[in-house]
C-alpha cells in the first residue's frame, strides 16, 4: 500500500493517480493543501509541491517525473506489454519529452493558472495568496488551452497514441491536465475532434473512474466531465 500526498485537482497528482491505477497498485490518498506550507509535508518535499509518494523502506518520492520513473523501474516489467515507458531509447525520449511538455509547459501556461484561480483560491487565506480570481490570468490561460489542444489534436491525428503506437505516460499526463480543467468547463472540445476522440479513449479507462467520481463542493462539474460520450 502506497500513501500519496496530493490534491484532487492538482494535475500532476492526477497523472500519478492514473499511473498507479494502470499499474494496478493500491494507494491511500492524503489531501495536501500546499499553500499552507505544513512543516511535516515540507520535511517530505522541501519544494512544497504535490505529488509525493510514500512507500515502505525507501525515502519519500517527490514530483511526478520521479514517481513515474520509480513506478516503471519497480513495476514496469510486471505489466509486460502494457508498460507505460517503452523499451527503446528513442521512444522513451519522446515519452519523457511529452511528459515534461504537459507537466511543466502546459501546467505553467494553462492548467496551473486555471486550477489556482478557480479552485485553490477558494480555500486559500489572503496571506497565502487567496482572494478573488484574476480575470486576466484566466483569460490568458484559456487562450493557451486552445494552442495546446491543437497540438494534442495534431499528435492524435499522426499517431495511435500521443507518443506512438501504445498508451504511455505521455497520454496519462496530457489527460490528467485536461481532466482538471474539463471539470471547470474550460476545454473547447468542439475545436478539435481528433483531440476529443483521443481524450474519450483515455477517459473510458478503468484507471480514470476515481477521478471522474470526485466533486468539489460549490463548484459543479461541467457537462462534459463525467460523460464518456461527450
Amino acid at each position: 500500500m502506497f500513501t500519496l500526498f496530493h490534491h484532487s485537482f492538482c494535475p500532476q497528482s492526477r497523472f500519478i493517480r492514473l499511473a498507479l491505477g494502470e499499474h494496478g497498485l493500491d494507494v491511500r490518498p492524503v489531501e495536501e493543501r500546499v499553500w499552507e506550507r505544513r512543516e511535516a509535508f515540507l520535511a517530505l518535499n522541501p519544494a512544497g509541491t504535490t505529488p509525493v509518494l510514500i512507500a515502505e523502506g525507501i525515502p519519500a518520492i517527490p514530483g511526478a517525473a520521479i514517481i513515474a520513473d520509480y513506478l516503471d523501474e519497480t513495476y514496469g516489467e510486471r505489466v509486460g506489454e502494457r508498460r507505460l515507458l517503452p523499451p527503446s531509447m528513442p521512444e522513451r525520449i519522446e515519452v519523457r519529452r511529452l511528459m515534461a511538455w504537459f507537466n511543466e509547459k502546459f501546467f505553467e501556461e494553462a492548467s496551473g493558472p486555471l486550477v489556482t484561480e478557480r479552485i485553490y483560491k477558494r480555500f486559500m487565506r489572503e496571506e497565502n495568496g487567496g482572494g478573488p480570481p484574476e480575470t486576466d490570468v484566466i483569460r490568458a490561460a484559456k487562450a493557451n488551452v486552445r494552442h495546446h489542444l491543437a497540438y494534442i489534436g495534431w499528435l492524435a491525428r499522426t499517431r495511435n497514441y500521443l507518443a506512438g503506437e501504445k498508451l504511455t505516460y505521455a497520454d496519462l499526463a496530457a489527460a490528467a491536465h485536461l481532466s482538471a480543467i474539463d471539470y471547470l468547463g474550460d476545454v473547447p472540445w468542439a475545436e478539435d475532434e481528433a483531440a476529443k476522440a483521443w481524450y474519450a479513449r483515455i477517459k473510458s479507462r478503468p484507471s480514470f473512474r476515481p477521478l471522474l467520481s470526485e466533486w468539489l463542493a460549490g463548484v459543479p462539474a461541467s457537462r462534459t466531465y463525467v460523460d464518456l460520450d461527450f
Side-chain angles (χ1 to χ4, degrees), residues 3-14:
T3 297
L4 182 70
F5 288 87
H6 79 119
H7 188 282
S8 296
F9 287 90
C10 163
Q12 291 92 341
S13 295
R14 287 184 158 224

Side-chain angles (χ1 to χ4, degrees), residues 35-87:
W35 54 86
E36 295 179 354
R37 306 284 295 175
R38 288 192 314 115
E39 289 187 11
F41 179 68
L42 292 174
L44 298 175
N45 182 18
T49 57
T50 50
V52 175
L53 188 69
I54 305 295
E56 186 177 353
I58 61 173
I61 311 170
I66 301 173
I67 296 172
D69 273 344
Y70 165 78
L71 293 176
D72 180 74
E73 291 169 5
T74 310
Y75 301 100
E77 290 186 3
R78 191 180 76 175
V79 296
E81 293 186 355
R82 295 186 294 109
R83 192 168 187 169
L84 295 168
L85 201 55

Side-chain angles (χ1 to χ4, degrees), residues 148-158 162 192-196:
H148 286 280
L149 191 68
Y151 182 46
I152 291 170
W154 179 81
L155 291 170
R157 283 188 292 274
T158 56
L162 296 191
D192 199 300
E193 288 298 322
K196 180 180 177 181

Side-chain angles (χ1 to χ4, degrees), residues 152-221:
I152 291 170
W154 179 81
L155 291 170
R157 283 188 292 274
T158 56
R159 303 168 176 181
N160 191 32
Y161 287 93
L162 296 191
E165 290 304 306
K166 294 183 178 181
L167 178 83
T168 68
Y169 280 140
D171 299 280
L172 302 186
H177 286 260
L178 285 171
S179 72
I181 57 179
D182 185 40
Y183 183 95
L184 300 168
D186 289 336
V187 183
W189 295 116
E191 294 187 5
D192 199 300
E193 288 298 322
K196 180 180 177 181
W198 161 83
Y199 182 68
R201 292 166 65 196
I202 309 302
K203 184 180 180 179
S204 65
R205 299 184 68 82
S207 63
F208 227 97
R209 291 172 189 163
L211 273 62
L212 298 180
S213 68
E214 293 182 345
W215 296 77
L216 187 65
V219 184

